[in-house]
Amino acid sequence: GKAVAALALQTCKEAETKHVAFAQAALRLALAFSHPSSRIADSISEDLYNFVEGIQEEEVTQNVQVAFKIVSERSVNAIAQTVLLHCITVLDDVWSVQSRKTVDTSEILRPVLELLALYCQMSLPMHQVTDLLMKALAKVYKTMGHIAKSMTSQKPQKSLDLSFIQLCDQYAKELTPDVYDFLLTLHNDDAEEREKQSESLLKKETRTIPNLIFNIEACDRQLILLSKASGVNLMKNAKRSQARDFQIQLQKRARVS
């Protein structure tokens, strides 16, 4: 396992390839066999962010410094998809182990929240990437809501671990604000770009945005209930008006358009 991880990581860092499938395969191996995989996912995502920002600012892409040579203009969307699929796999694993007392799910979730917040800030236009990001976001809110609900139902009520309290701070201060900004950007694509989308894609978008907002608000409710049960205010860093402000912004931009 370690030898495979080392070889795959070396390939990701040193192989300047035009073959997107090869780049994806190397990254999948590196993520699958490295422990913790979050370090690689975080590092290559930082490279991806810097590279995409360089493209947006119309810099010469050769001037953008990256630690992972598989990152290129051709591979950015494929690499983003690979990392997001890995995040979804990690979230699925959290569901299966959260009842085990020996596993600190908060430490597993924190890198995932950081990654998803970063991807919300990226300008990745490919709809497959957006679909995966929306799926991962919905899953992380469902997961955190389920964990909070399980904690609330514990009798007698146990004191909350510091790692979980810190996770909730990160959730409120870093992830959710970036998610709402991402949703506004997604909703306000240029009219010309939206016209290019197929009817099925537009219908899918009109379903996924409300569904994600529902999951965010459901998770918030579970954290508020846990706050009352535990006596620890897990939502002290949350902007309570975020959902309302988001709806107002949508209404304003709908009137303008």
Side-chain angles (χ1 to χ4, degrees):
K2 288 184 179 180
V4 173
L7 180 59
L9 181 58
Q10 182 181 4
T11 302
C12 290
K13 288 186 173 183
E14 298 179 2
E16 296 185 47
T17 177
K18 294 181 179 179
H19 298 284
V20 174
F22 174 78
Q24 276 188 300
L27 181 56
R28 284 195 204 102
L29 285 173
L31 291 171
F33 287 95
S34 299
H35 301 286
S37 60
S38 58
R39 291 179 183 173
I40 296 173
D42 182 63
S43 296
I44 198 165
S45 296
E46 289 286 349
D47 268 4
L48 208 59
Y49 177 82
N50 293 331
F51 192 87
V52 170
E53 289 301 300
I55 294 174
Q56 294 295 316
E57 294 171 8
E58 298 183 348
E59 294 180 10
V60 179
T61 54
Q62 287 87 345
N63 294 337
V64 180
Q65 297 297 315
V66 292
F68 291 81
K69 300 301 183 183
I70 61 168
V71 175
S72 67
E73 195 165 356
R74 181 177 292 188
S75 69
V76 286
N77 285 305
I79 289 173
Q81 286 178 273
T82 304
V83 175
L84 290 171
L85 282 169
H86 178 71
C87 288
I88 291 170
T89 300
V90 171
L91 291 169
D92 288 338
D93 291 342
V94 169
W95 273 86
S96 64
V97 302
Q98 60 182 295
S99 60
R100 300 180 192 173
K101 296 179 180 179
T102 57
V103 178
D104 188 348
T105 54
S106 298
E107 291 303 314
I108 300 173
L109 285 171
R110 290 188 70 178
V112 175
L113 264 64
E114 289 177 10
L115 281 170
L116 295 182
L118 182 64
Y119 278 89
C120 284
Q121 299 168 32
M122 283 194 211
S123 302
L124 293 166
M126 194 172 176
H127 68 82
Q128 290 97 329
V129 176
T130 301
D131 288 347
L132 279 176
L133 179 55
M134 296 286 278
K135 183 178 179 180
L137 289 169
K139 191 174 285 286
V140 81
Y141 283 106
K142 284 181 181 178
T143 302
M144 285 197 62
H146 183 74
I147 292 172
K149 186 175 182 179
S150 299
M151 290 180 170
T152 304
S153 64
Q154 289 176 345
K155 303 294 180 183
Q157 185 65 48
K158 297 180 180 179
S159 59
L160 301 179
D161 292 334
L162 177 60
S163 60
F164 182 75
I165 296 172
Q166 291 173 336
L167 176 69
C168 292
D169 286 344
Q170 180 184 357
Y171 162 96
K173 290 166 63 177
E174 299 174 22
L175 179 63
T176 300
D178 282 341
V179 170
Y180 277 117
D181 287 343
F182 163 70
L183 291 178
L184 275 175
T185 302
L186 185 64
H187 188 272
N188 288 285
D189 284 338
D190 293 337
E192 182 180 346
E193 289 298 318
R194 293 174 68 82
E195 287 175 5
K196 293 178 184 177
Q197 292 181 341
S198 67
E199 185 178 349
S200 61
L201 283 175
L202 288 172
K203 285 182 178 179
K204 189 173 184 179
E205 182 181 306
T206 58
R207 290 195 307 269
T208 53
I209 292 178
N211 180 58
L212 179 54
I213 294 172
F214 172 81
N215 284 312
I216 294 171
E217 293 178 339
C219 184
D220 285 351
R221 285 193 295 272
Q222 292 300 331
L223 290 173
I224 290 169
L225 290 173
L226 180 56
S227 296
K228 292 177 179 178
S230 65
V232 178
N233 185 2
L234 300 171
M235 299 294 286
K236 65 180 184 296
N237 292 311
K239 296 179 181 178
R240 299 296 177 85
S241 61
Q242 279 181 133
R244 184 193 65 208
D245 290 346
F246 175 76
Q247 296 294 346
I248 291 172
Q249 288 294 327
L250 289 187
Q251 292 168 7
K252 283 182 179 178
R253 300 190 185 191
R255 286 197 294 269
V256 170
S257 59

